[in-house]
Amino acid sequence: MTEHVVQVDIFWADVAVVGAGPAGLAAAVAAAEAGASVAVVDSAAQPGGQYWRHRPETVIPDPDGRGHHDWDVYLDLRSRFDAARTRGAITYLPGRSVWMAQKHDDGFTLRTTPTLASPTPVATPTLASPTPVAVRGRRLVLCTGGYDRQLPVPGWDLPGVMAAGGIQAFIKANGSLPGRRFVIAGTGPFLLPVAAGIAEAGGTVVAVLEASAPSAWLPHLRAAVGVPEKALEGAGYAATFARHRIPYRTRSVVTEVLGENRAHAVRTARVDSAGRVRPGSERVYDDVDVVGFGWGFTPQLELPVSLGVATRIDADGSLVGVVDSRQESSVPGLFLAGEVTGVGGAALAVLEGLAAGGAAADGTGAPPSSAILPPKAAARAERHRRFARAMHQAHPVPAAWSEWLTPETTVCRCEEVTAGEITAARSELGAADSRSLKSFTRAGMGWCQGRVCGFAASCLAAGNSHPSEPSLAASAKRPLAAPVSIGELAALNDADY
Amino acid sequence: MSISFTFNGRPLEASAGQSVGAALTSNGFTAWRSTRKGGRPRGLFCGIGVCFDCLVTVDGDANQRACLAEVRDGMVVDGVEPLEGDRT
């Protein structure tokens, strides 16, 4: 038997940043420009996060940003990021996932593992290390973003059903489409760029089904006009929809995905404001090979939760971290930026990242800097937050969504736990939150650790569409934030830090 | 640029820079994993590395996310194919 002797390298920095999307790039750049030494850990092979995901730079070294919003903002952040790397202020660790974060008296340790067994070569040289790399930062900025929130529906576990954001990511990363004929369903303005992106890449969008209604925005118009660029963006999508003749149906949902071993069709229905199906309104769209679902976003919260930050429920029902105006959480020295503080889009994430990075650099030995955003930027961030609140209120998770389920509907895709098993655990065993549900049914115990079904399972356990903070926090509690090999765990015994 | 890889021994083509998931999808495969309990077919779902539905064996390394791994020339990809007739 070969004995595994694993050398654990620790990389020390003033500020450690997790994530290289809009918030993470901004935080890294701000901290580095304030004079701090910065380490950036990102699970992807190249910077950009989900929002600015682009084709591999090994193949397309100079992406033109087609299909992207605010590409100029990305290019600006990226050139500052690259410049800081060149002068040694930023150390970039791509293709690595943080599987555990720990707090010490004088900072934080991040333990990382390769995202893939044989990582993709990256366009720019990086710290090449086959061994586990731990990063130690005096301050920590978590910018872990989020992913599509899902509500189960009969047939959503068939191949061909994807997250709406997953379809967009596929197009951005590959420059091709995952199918031919698409139905996009759920709620929120995000469905629009997904459908527009499909049409512009040459796919057919059979229909976009929005559960809410435009009138839901009426009480929030003041917040909407505060961010005029969103209206412009919306007008752009309207033009794309008209050009490609994409049907946009409001107060409509997919009630079932049809198919034997893959999606072939969808059954849809008109719904009332609570999401209850209007009798007689059902229709079937045939010849559909990809169905995209998006019900808003779930912030990726396991690292903040594991470090003990105070959390709250945001306007969209998501669990988010509480921060002050400097983006500092309830844990001193731990900053949060982007979707983890509330889903608000990339423009807000950049502003929060700049604030967090600047504040995190302050007092790490770096010269004092303008840690807090200038008044105009702060006001802009506030307008974006108001817009996000309005958006969340206009596009709620339908209160009666669970009525679309049958007892056989899979809720936990990993452990294949059905809605019937969950309702039984609730009514017969008294499982009223995600944690007891997990121990009774294994829902949330599989590969994804409840990331996909956590919100829905919490709704079903609570018997409503507003899961409690403790239930969502229990679901976000993941002792291992990423899968890690036994060898890497064993190596911990020798690591004395 | 076109590159070659195999899926369950079958030689296939892909574009350089595609993910393994995209390479399989563009070759007409939508599922390459079978669930433990129900034996149900699975392929891409979240598309960004969160759901682990698209796990596949890449060059002998099991449980790799097809949505994240980049296909490379000569790559050997293995998975569980659904029955004939279930493909697009």
Side-chain angles (χ1 to χ4, degrees):
Chain A
M1 202 180 108
T2 327
E3 199 184 333
H4 285 275
V5 181
V6 187
Q7 173 73 41
V8 178
D9 303 319
I10 307 175
F11 188 87
W12 296 75
D14 293 332
V15 177
V17 177
V18 180
L25 278 178
V29 163
E33 289 175 359
S37 65
V38 180
V40 178
V41 184
D42 189 45
S43 58
Q46 60 190 29
Q50 305 308 333
Y51 190 68
W52 289 317
R53 180 188 284 273
H54 51 284
R55 300 198 59 201
E57 291 167 21
T58 43
V59 179
I60 313 270
D62 242 333
D64 60 9
R66 214 162 2 133
H68 279 280
H69 283 283
D70 306 324
W71 191 246
D72 54 330
V73 179
Y74 168 72
L75 290 179
D76 172 57
L77 288 173
R78 178 66 189 271
S79 71
R80 290 156 71 186
F81 183 77
D82 290 346
R85 284 182 65 198
T86 306
R87 65 172 188 271
I90 291 179
T91 300
Y92 173 47
L93 300 162
R96 302 195 71 88
S97 304
V98 175
W99 60 270
M100 190 162 77
Q102 291 161 285
K103 179 165 169 40
H104 317 281
D105 291 340
D106 56 348
F108 302 85
T109 301
L110 305 172
R111 295 173 195 279
T112 77
T113 184
T115 305
L116 294 161
S118 42
T120 311
V122 286
T124 36
T126 173
L127 275 191
S129 172
T131 56
V133 172
V135 173
R136 182 79 178 258
R138 297 176 60 190
R139 306 281 171 84
L140 174 60
V141 189
L142 295 175
C143 310
T144 44
Y147 47 86
D148 300 79
R149 181 161 61 186
Q150 295 297 336
L151 298 178
V153 69
W156 77 308
D157 50 340
L158 288 169
V161 177
M162 291 180 71
I167 296 173
Q168 191 186 53
F170 187 107
I171 299 170
K172 285 179 179 177
N174 297 289
S176 61
L177 287 164
R180 299 173 302 114
R181 290 172 54 83
F182 298 73
V183 166
I184 305 300
T187 194
F190 179 63
L191 304 181
L192 305 179
V194 172
I198 293 167
E200 273 159 4
T204 301
V205 182
V206 177
V208 175
L209 306 172
E210 163 62 62
S212 187
S215 58
W217 275 92
L218 290 177
H220 311 294
L221 285 181
R222 262 178 69 94
V225 287
V227 189
E229 60 262 41
K230 299 279 187 191
L232 276 175
E233 214 179 295
Y237 297 135
T240 308
F241 271 48
R243 197 163 59 245
H244 294 280
R245 292 183 171 48
I246 302 175
Y248 182 70
R249 308 210 189 287
T250 56
R251 287 265 189 267
S252 300
V253 302
V254 167
T255 53
E256 186 177 6
V257 181
L258 305 165
E260 187 78 10
N261 281 314
R262 54 151 307 144
H264 285 302
V266 293
R267 194 188 308 281
T268 73
R270 299 261 301 152
V271 291
D272 66 15
S273 61
R276 281 195 183 85
V277 169
R278 291 189 187 281
S281 70
E282 296 199 320
R283 64 178 284 190
V284 170
Y285 288 92
D286 281 314
D287 191 19
V288 169
D289 61 349
V290 183
V291 187
F293 285 118
W295 295 97
F297 294 91
T298 295
Q300 181 106 4
L301 226 66
E302 57 273 326
L303 292 177
V305 165
S306 75
L307 289 167
V309 308
T311 54
R312 64 181 175 86
I313 297 289
D314 201 16
D316 61 349
S318 289
L319 185 77
V320 300
V322 176
V323 289
D324 63 15
S325 62
R326 295 156 42 95
Q327 301 297 129
E328 192 164 10
S329 73
S330 63
V331 176
L334 172 54
F335 298 78
L336 310 174
E339 312 299 56
V340 284
T341 67
V343 173
L348 178 60
V350 168
L351 292 167
E352 291 180 348
L354 292 174
D362 219 23
T364 58
S369 65
S370 49
I372 302 170
L373 291 178
K376 271 182 93 166
R380 207 172 142 237
E382 209 33 65
R383 284 200 301 277
H384 274 281
R385 286 194 188 97
R386 273 204 299 276
F387 181 88
R389 263 197 303 279
M391 174 184 79
H392 295 323
Q393 281 159 7
H395 295 276
V397 166
W401 71 267
S402 62
E403 291 178 14
W404 313 332
L405 306 180
T406 68
E408 296 77 34
T409 308
T410 298
V411 173
C412 168
R413 303 167 62 95
C414 301
E415 294 295 313
E416 303 176 85
V417 183
T418 63
E421 290 170 271
I422 287 177
T423 11
R426 178 175 159 234
S427 55
E428 288 155 31
L429 303 167
D433 64 90
S434 65
R435 197 196 172 109
S436 17
L437 205 57
K438 193 167 163 178
S439 39
F440 289 138
T441 66
R442 296 191 61 83
M445 231 180 220
W447 270 102
C448 92
Q449 289 285 293
R451 287 178 177 90
V452 177
C453 74
F455 180 83
S458 279
C459 285
L460 295 175
N464 60 44
S465 63
H466 299 95
S468 70
E469 192 192 344
S471 182
L472 289 182
S475 165
K477 206 165 255 168
R478 302 180 181 107
L480 297 183
V484 60
S485 72
I486 293 287
E488 287 167 284
L489 284 175
L492 275 183
N493 299 335
D494 306 327
D496 182 28
Y497 58 89
Chain B
M1 200 183 75
S2 185
I3 57 130
S4 308
F5 72 106
T6 65
F7 177 50
N8 290 342
R10 191 192 283 98
L12 300 171
E13 302 276 303
S15 305
Q18 276 191 308
S19 68
V20 170
L24 290 172
T25 304
S26 54
N27 279 285
F29 297 91
T30 48
W32 44 83
R33 185 174 78 88
S34 170
T35 61
R36 216 172 45 214
K37 214 163 115 188
R40 301 291 298 151
R42 293 283 173 87
L44 293 174
F45 177 65
C46 81
I48 60 169
V50 169
C51 77
F52 294 86
D53 249 0
C54 66
L55 295 180
V56 71
T57 300
V58 174
D59 287 337
D61 289 317
N63 301 325
Q64 301 303 300
R65 285 165 279 182
C67 66
L68 299 183
E70 191 178 317
V71 71
R72 267 174 273 168
D73 201 39
M75 193 176 253
V76 177
V77 179
D78 293 291
V80 180
E81 286 178 61
L83 300 171
E84 204 52 45
D86 295 331
R87 288 172 48 192
T88 8

